[in-house]
Amino acid sequence: MRSHRLAWIAALTLLPLAAPCPAASTDAVRLVVIASASQPLKLAPDRDDLRNIYLKKIFIDDDGRRLIPVNLPPGTPLRALFASRLIGMGEPQLADYWNRQYFQGVSPPYVLASQQAVVRFVATTPGAIGYIASCHLDERVRVLLVVDPAIDPAAAGCGEPAAH
């Protein structure tokens, strides 16, 4: 009887260690637009401004610094979500838009291979703007806009290693 009681006490003592971390279960993952924390833009963009920056209708900030929007690769869930929620186009419509713009001398935003690459590029490139899942945020970048209230952490690549 005494061994059963000790087993219950041990189980109840260790139970909090097996429970999920409250912070992990309450922190929603969000799609965010980012800029460098150390090289601030002279621009306080709203959704329309960011849409126009990504469509390359706005090229410079208020100080005349060139703005450099970057994209994730086509076909990635985060890019599709960004295109539909912020730009207001599906990927096929956006591809058509850039085909037309290309023949007018306007190139689409640079494409970077991963969210970690976006963080590194934005953190070190004056005027760069990118988008990532909030689970990839670090001290090198700051949030300009939260695009989506909550997204699926797995689809957002939150299991990938942190950017450093």
Side-chain angles (χ1 to χ4, degrees):
M1 189 69 153
R2 187 174 191 320
S3 64
H4 288 285
R5 191 174 308 139
L6 288 175
W8 273 105
I9 290 171
L12 290 174
T13 304
L14 295 175
L15 185 61
L17 297 175
C21 173
S25 61
T26 59
D27 289 346
V29 176
R30 302 178 190 305
L31 175 59
V32 295
V33 179
I34 59 169
S36 174
S38 66
Q39 303 170 32
L41 298 173
K42 293 292 183 175
L43 184 70
D46 60 17
R47 291 178 80 86
D48 289 334
D49 289 337
L50 288 168
R51 179 181 193 274
N52 287 327
I53 290 167
Y54 266 86
L55 293 175
K56 294 208 171 171
K57 294 179 179 181
I58 296 176
F59 294 95
I60 58 173
D61 70 6
D62 294 341
D63 273 352
R65 179 183 302 176
R66 189 173 137 232
L67 298 171
I68 307 168
V70 294
N71 258 331
L72 290 169
T76 58
L78 221 51
R79 178 170 168 158
L81 184 63
F82 179 80
S84 68
R85 298 288 170 92
L86 186 76
I87 307 298
M89 296 182 198
E91 286 197 78
Q93 296 157 312
L94 203 50
D96 288 343
Y97 171 84
W98 286 115
N99 285 335
R100 289 190 309 275
Q101 292 302 104
Y102 183 78
F103 289 107
Q104 296 178 13
V106 180
S107 298
Y110 297 126
V111 175
L112 300 177
S114 68
Q115 294 180 71
Q116 294 85 354
V118 170
V119 170
R120 279 191 304 273
F121 184 83
V122 167
T124 59
T125 306
I129 296 174
Y131 58 90
I132 59 171
S134 59
C135 59
H136 293 283
L137 287 170
D138 66 27
E139 68 282 348
R140 299 174 294 170
V141 295
R142 66 185 174 93
V143 174
L144 294 176
L145 180 76
V146 176
V147 177
D148 206 43
I151 55 178
D152 176 39
C158 292
E160 298 172 12
H164 289 293

